[in-house]
Amino acid sequence: MSSKIKYSAILGSLGQTCDRFMKCGYKDPELDKVEFPDVVKSLEKMQVLQGVDLYQAPSGPLSDPDTVNQILTESGFVASSVLPLVFGERRWQKGSISAADKSVRDEAMRLIKQNIDFNAKLVGNPSVNLWLGQDGFDYPLQTNYTKQWNDLINAVRELADYNPNIKLTLEGKIREPRNRCLVDTTMTALLICMEVDRENVGVAIDTGHVFYAQQNVAQNVEVAARYGKLFMVHANDNYNLWDDDLIVGSLRLTEYIEMFYSLRKVNYDGFISVDIFPYREDQYDATRQSVLNMKKYDEAIDRIGFDKLSDVVENGDPCEMVRVVREAIFR
């Protein structure tokens, strides 16, 4: 049972990244001038990726699908996913496709449909990732929860029907930027998938968001796969207290081995996208180290043996688990 996993990287966080203390970012200001083709060439030099996650820009190379295809093809990449920008502008401050204001909802739907049209012209048939970070609430007695949920379901169903050949992925996150995100976990995303009831609607599991929600990634993987809804995986690491978006595997070992065991178990053949925010680190080296770590975790499944790991799981003995992992890794 060989691995079929492919790797990509989210481009949006590989430029100048800022936080609320350093709005100008921590890196050389010259990085602000780096264009999409240069980023792709830098990723190509790493020789560890097969795809890239994009966003559609209103102007420049990332606004034209033909230009994107040419740039990616020259570097041997395909687009693995495209993210509609329905969270990073003031107009989305009270939500996008589930906003109380119908005019805002309509505007968000127009933008995402435009994104779907954009995706349909890209090589690789990439999914549209619906990370709805501004859709949620902050205070009690602020939201009509029934209406908000109804608007969300109707919107996702309409988007799915707009082009059934394009997959939509719902990415759960417990909070940020809203104090309570509407799509807060993988299980909530799955509930939405069940109610929307469209084959092209699935989930994107972000490992950091799962850790942040005090949940288990492998369990999320297997439950999503049970319903045929595991469309995408994003990978990063954190301390469980915040969405730190650290280098993959910089903190965890056994949990990532378990994730790759579960991905092998469900025969996952899609992309794992590096989703990190290297504020102070070299962004390309941090991406490369993330992929190299994941390749080693995947290789560990073969080193230990898939059947042996299955026996460990069935036995349920933590002491045996620790021994098996230690003897396979540290030898």
Side-chain angles (χ1 to χ4, degrees):
M1 186 184 294
S2 60
S3 176
K4 302 175 183 177
I5 291 169
K6 303 179 286 288
Y7 293 95
S8 61
I10 296 179
L11 298 193
S13 57
L14 295 183
Q16 186 70 266
T17 47
C18 60
D19 60 25
R20 63 194 181 115
F21 296 100
M22 285 285 287
K23 296 186 185 301
C24 61
Y26 290 88
K27 294 186 171 71
D28 190 325
E30 289 299 311
L31 188 59
D32 296 326
K33 303 175 184 177
V34 176
E35 299 289 342
F36 168 61
D38 301 315
V39 174
V40 172
K41 284 297 180 184
S42 295
L43 291 173
E44 179 188 358
K45 293 176 184 177
M46 292 164 30
Q47 298 184 330
V48 293
L49 300 176
Q50 292 79 49
V52 293
D53 278 29
L54 310 169
Y55 61 92
Q56 183 187 8
S59 61
L62 277 166
S63 66
D64 177 54
D66 292 334
T67 302
V68 171
N69 283 332
Q70 179 182 351
I71 292 170
L72 294 184
T73 301
E74 287 175 354
S75 292
F77 293 146
V78 298
S80 49
S81 180
V82 180
L83 179 70
L85 298 177
V86 290
F87 50 83
E89 299 178 31
R90 287 191 184 94
R91 56 179 168 165
W92 314 121
Q93 63 182 285
K94 294 183 179 180
S96 61
I97 61 174
S98 73
D101 187 334
K102 186 179 184 302
S103 66
V104 175
R105 295 201 307 275
D106 291 343
E107 192 175 1
M109 292 295 285
R110 283 194 296 271
L111 189 150
I112 296 173
K113 286 178 180 179
Q114 181 185 12
N115 208 149
I116 291 172
D117 292 338
F118 178 79
N119 280 35
K121 298 175 183 177
L122 294 180
V123 175
N125 195 31
S127 56
V128 172
N129 185 42
L130 298 178
W131 180 66
L132 306 174
Q134 299 287 6
D135 289 82
F137 55 94
D138 299 308
Y139 294 94
L141 298 175
Q142 183 184 35
T143 304
N144 183 334
Y145 305 115
T146 300
K147 180 180 182 299
Q148 186 185 51
W149 184 265
N150 190 59
D151 288 339
L152 174 69
I153 296 300
N154 289 337
V156 175
R157 188 178 289 133
E158 181 180 334
L159 292 169
D161 290 340
Y162 180 71
N163 187 340
N165 294 317
I166 298 296
K167 290 182 176 180
L168 306 178
T169 58
L170 293 158
E171 180 180 348
K173 184 177 181 180
I174 200 78
R175 65 187 301 254
E176 193 205 19
R178 301 310 292 265
N179 282 315
R180 296 290 183 269
C181 291
L182 186 54
V183 188
D184 52 4
T185 64
T186 300
M187 303 309 172
T188 299
L190 282 172
L191 177 61
I192 296 167
C193 291
M194 299 303 108
E195 189 167 348
V196 168
D197 193 26
R198 296 294 187 270
E199 289 187 3
N200 59 325
V201 178
V203 302
I205 294 178
D206 184 299
T207 62
H209 296 175
V210 176
F211 296 143
Y212 183 23
Q214 309 295 314
Q215 294 185 351
N216 179 280
V217 174
Q219 180 198 31
N220 277 230
V221 164
E222 293 192 24
V223 173
R226 172 187 176 89
Y227 297 100
K229 295 299 184 182
L230 180 60
F231 289 1
M232 171 64 81
V233 177
H234 295 172
N236 51 75
D237 220 328
N238 65 45
Y239 287 99
N240 291 90
L241 299 172
W242 193 250
D243 187 28
D244 301 305
D245 283 326
L246 301 177
I247 294 169
V248 180
S250 54
L251 302 178
R252 288 173 172 80
L253 172 66
T254 309
E255 286 172 287
Y256 266 111
I257 290 175
E258 182 187 38
M259 183 188 87
F260 277 93
Y261 164 76
S262 291
L263 290 172
R264 196 84 65 95
K265 180 178 177 181
V266 304
N267 202 30
Y268 181 70
D269 61 357
F271 278 95
I272 299 180
S273 187
V274 177
D275 184 1
I276 59 175
F277 266 75
Y279 293 101
R280 301 167 181 83
E281 303 76 45
D282 178 275
Q283 62 270 38
Y284 300 111
D285 193 26
T287 300
R288 184 170 186 272
Q289 297 306 323
S290 293
V291 176
L292 292 178
N293 277 349
M294 288 191 283
K295 285 178 175 289
K296 286 300 180 182
Y297 297 145
D298 200 15
E299 290 172 12
I301 308 306
D302 295 315
R303 182 182 298 180
I304 298 169
F306 181 85
D307 291 339
K308 187 173 184 178
L309 278 170
S310 297
D311 290 339
V312 169
V313 171
E314 291 303 315
N315 292 339
D317 183 351
C319 295
E320 180 188 14
M321 176 273 293
V322 170
R323 177 185 61 78
V324 165
V325 172
R326 182 182 65 246
E327 290 179 355
I329 303 301
F330 301 104
R331 62 176 181 175

